[in-house]
Amino acid sequence: MAAKKLRRARLSQELCERLSRHQITTCQDFLCLSLLELMKVTGQSYYDVQNLLCKVSRACAPKMQTAYEMKLRKSVNPSLAFLSTTLHSLDEVLQGGVPCGSLTELTSPPGCGKTQFCIMMSVLATLPVSMGGLDGAVIYIDTESAFSAERLIEIAGNRFPTYFDSDEKLFCMTRSIHLYRELTCGSVLKRIMSLEEEIISKKVKLIIIDSVASVVRKEFDTKLQGNLAERSNFLARGASVLKYLAEEFSIPVILTNQITTSLSNGLAIQADLVSPADDLSLSEGASSSGKRESSCVTAALGNTWSHSVNTRLILQYHDLPTRQLLVAKSPVAPFSAFFYTIEKSGLVLQDGKDQTNLTLEGTNPALQTIRVRDTALKDTLLDAALPKTTGETPTNTSNL
C-alpha cells in the first residue's frame, strides 16, 4: 500500500503539487525521506512535518478488519465480489467466477486459449451488473502483441447477440478497453505503478496482463549470476503492486503465464520455445545421454511466483477439438477439471463430455503437470488404435 498516491492521502492539493515537483508522488517516496529533507521540500516546521508523517503513514498502513466485516462487505453486493466467466460450471466451483480483490493466473501451452479467455473477460467486465458484468473499463497490458480488436468484436457479437445488437453498442464497448503494449520489464512495472489514478478516473473494473512470463523470460537468463535474484525482485514488486490495486479497489486482476519443462536433474527448458517434437520427447523422458529420466511440463516462473497468485487456472490439450481447464489452485474451490472448445463466442464448456476416466488429484500448483499438444495427439492416436470392445484382439495379418 506504500504505492498509494499522496493525493489519496488527503494532503492539500498545493502540497501535493509542491512535492510532485520534487518527484515525490507516492506514500513510499514521502516516507523514505528524512525529517530534514521533508522540511526542505515542504517548507514546513519540524512539528508540522511530524504530523504529515503520521498522516501519510496512517493513509498507507493496511487497516485491520474482522472476518465479519469482510463477509458483510461482500454480502451487501455479492454480484461485485466476482466477475462471472459465463462458464457456468466453472463459476459454480469458484463460487461466482474470477474473484475481485485478488490475482488470478492463467497458464497453458501455446494455442490453448489464454488470450481468448482474456479477451472474453474484457467483454464481460464492460457488461452491466444485471448481466453479470462489472459495468466498468478494462486495462489490458499486452506484452506479446497478441490482442486482436477484431476478435474482441467477434466474441462480443457472438456471445451476447441480443445485447450487442448495434454498431453503437460495440463501439461503446471497445472504447472501454484501454490497451497498452509494454515489451520490457521496466515498462510493465512503470505502467502498473502508475495505474492508481487511471483506475479512479476511467472507472476501471478489470486489469489484465498478457503475459507476465513473456517479458521476464526475454530479459532474465537465470543461468547468469545475479539474474535469478533480479527476476525474483521484479516479480515480487509487480505482484505486490497488483495485489494492492486489486484489494484497494476490489477489482479482479488476471495474469497469463507460460510453461516450462522440468527434468529430474533439476534443469528447466522453456517448453513453449522448443519444437513440438522436442516437447514430446521431453514429456516422455528422453535425455541426451539416451537414459530415460522423469520430466513434466509445468507452469513457468517458479515456485515463489506460484505463491504470489491467489487462483491458478491451467488450460491444456486433451484431444484434437477439445481442451481441458483445471482449477489447480483456489482458496475457495477444490481441484476441478472441465472440457472446453474455442468457438466464435470464445471458450465454451462441454458439460456433457464424459469425465469418468479422469483422475482428479490436486498437487503442488507449481508442479502441476500440463499436457502439451503432441502428448494429447499421441494419446488420441493410441486410443484410436486400441480394440473397441472387451476381449477383441487385433487381426493377425500374418495369416492373410
Side-chain angles (χ1 to χ4, degrees):
M1 298 182 73
K4 178 181 283 189
K5 298 292 184 180
L6 285 171
R7 287 189 177 89
R8 298 187 61 237
R10 298 183 178 180
L11 302 185
S12 68
Q13 183 176 351
E14 181 184 355
L15 179 57
C16 288
E17 290 175 355
R18 180 167 184 164
L19 291 170
S20 181
R21 289 195 290 269
H22 294 275
Q23 310 301 316
I24 304 169
T25 59
T26 67
C27 292
Q28 181 176 1
D29 296 336
F30 188 88
L31 295 173
C32 285
L33 297 177
S34 67
L35 283 169
L36 290 176
E37 289 171 325
L38 288 173
M39 289 171 63
K40 182 178 180 180
V41 297
T42 62
Q44 297 191 16
S45 67
Y46 179 83
Y47 176 77
D48 290 336
V49 166
Q50 281 189 316
N51 288 337
L52 283 175
L53 279 171
C54 292
K55 190 174 184 178
V56 173
S57 298
R58 283 194 297 268
C60 69
K63 295 178 177 59
M64 185 279 296
Q65 58 181 334
T66 65
Y68 173 75
E69 290 171 334
M70 293 177 65
K71 179 66 176 175
L72 186 64
R73 187 175 60 181
K74 290 186 177 181
S75 62
V76 170
N77 199 342
S79 62
L80 298 180
F82 296 91
L83 172 58
S84 170
T85 67
T86 65
L87 305 172
H88 300 299
S89 297
L90 176 62
D91 284 348
E92 186 176 350
V93 167
L94 293 175
Q95 299 188 16
V98 175
C100 297
S102 65
L103 309 187
T104 298
E105 183 205 71
L106 198 67
T107 187
S108 81
C112 277
K114 294 190 297 293
T115 300
Q116 305 295 317
F117 184 88
C118 291
I119 292 175
M120 185 177 80
M121 296 306 294
S122 297
V123 174
L124 296 172
T126 66
L127 293 176
V129 175
S130 60
M131 293 182 64
L134 297 176
D135 194 19
V138 178
I139 296 291
Y140 196 117
I141 300 175
D142 181 12
T143 68
E144 296 183 326
S145 300
F147 182 87
S148 168
E150 292 76 15
R151 181 60 174 146
L152 174 75
I153 294 171
E154 182 182 40
I155 289 176
N158 283 277
R159 203 168 193 90
F160 302 99
T162 55
Y163 181 75
F164 294 107
D165 56 357
S166 66
D167 290 341
E168 183 181 353
K169 283 189 175 180
L170 285 170
F171 178 68
C172 183
M173 181 270 296
T174 57
R175 289 187 63 185
S176 298
I177 298 172
H178 307 276
L179 180 70
Y180 296 100
R181 286 205 162 94
E182 308 292 356
L183 305 179
T184 66
C185 291
S187 62
V188 169
L189 190 58
K190 184 177 180 180
R191 175 64 58 189
I192 63 177
M193 293 282 286
S194 67
L195 286 182
E196 187 173 9
E197 292 184 350
E198 195 167 354
I199 290 172
I200 298 171
S201 62
K202 295 178 178 176
K203 297 182 179 178
V204 172
K205 296 296 183 180
L206 173 65
I207 298 174
I208 294 174
I209 302 182
D210 182 25
S211 78
V212 176
S214 176
V215 289
V216 170
R217 294 172 122 183
K218 283 187 293 187
E219 293 191 30
F220 296 106
D221 182 354
T222 55
K223 295 178 182 178
L224 299 179
Q225 187 176 7
N227 269 10
L228 184 59
E230 287 184 28
R231 187 182 85 159
S232 298
N233 182 55
F234 166 77
L235 291 172
R237 288 183 65 194
S240 176
V241 175
L242 289 170
K243 280 191 174 184
Y244 159 70
L245 295 174
E247 293 171 4
E248 180 72 8
F249 299 102
S250 190
I251 60 176
V253 175
I254 298 176
L255 315 165
T256 67
N257 194 0
Q258 297 175 350
I259 59 172
T260 189
T261 302
S262 299
L263 304 179
S264 59
N265 60 8
L267 295 177
I269 298 176
Q270 295 185 22
D272 52 326
L273 300 182
V274 299
S275 69
D278 290 337
D279 223 1
L280 179 58
S281 66
L282 286 169
S283 63
E284 290 177 332
S287 68
S288 57
S289 61
K291 297 179 181 179
R292 299 184 64 82
E293 47 187 40
S294 62
S295 62
C296 60
V297 176
T298 62
L301 301 183
N303 190 51
T304 302
W305 170 255
S306 73
H307 290 290
S308 298
V309 297
N310 306 98
T311 304
R312 169 170 280 177
L313 304 179
I314 292 176
L315 308 181
Q316 63 181 5
Y317 287 98
H318 179 69
D319 54 32
L320 292 178
T322 310
R323 296 167 176 85
Q324 192 177 41
L325 187 155
L326 306 178
V327 180
K329 175 187 178 183
S330 169
V332 298
F335 184 87
S336 309
F338 307 92
F339 290 113
Y340 71 95
T341 55
I342 300 176
E343 312 288 349
K344 287 185 177 181
S345 59
L347 273 64
V348 178
L349 289 188
Q350 305 298 304
D351 291 326
K353 192 172 178 66
D354 180 30
Q355 300 193 50
T356 55
N357 294 326
L358 292 178
T359 303
L360 302 182
E361 292 185 4
T363 182
N364 180 345
L367 301 177
Q368 177 69 47
T369 57
I370 302 173
R371 288 163 61 91
V372 294
R373 185 193 304 268
D374 291 85
T375 306
L377 176 59
K378 180 184 177 185
D379 290 346
T380 302
L381 296 175
L382 287 174
D383 289 341
L386 290 174
K388 299 299 180 185
T389 60
T390 305
E392 183 180 346
T393 56
T395 303
N396 189 348
T397 55
S398 62
N399 294 329
L400 295 178

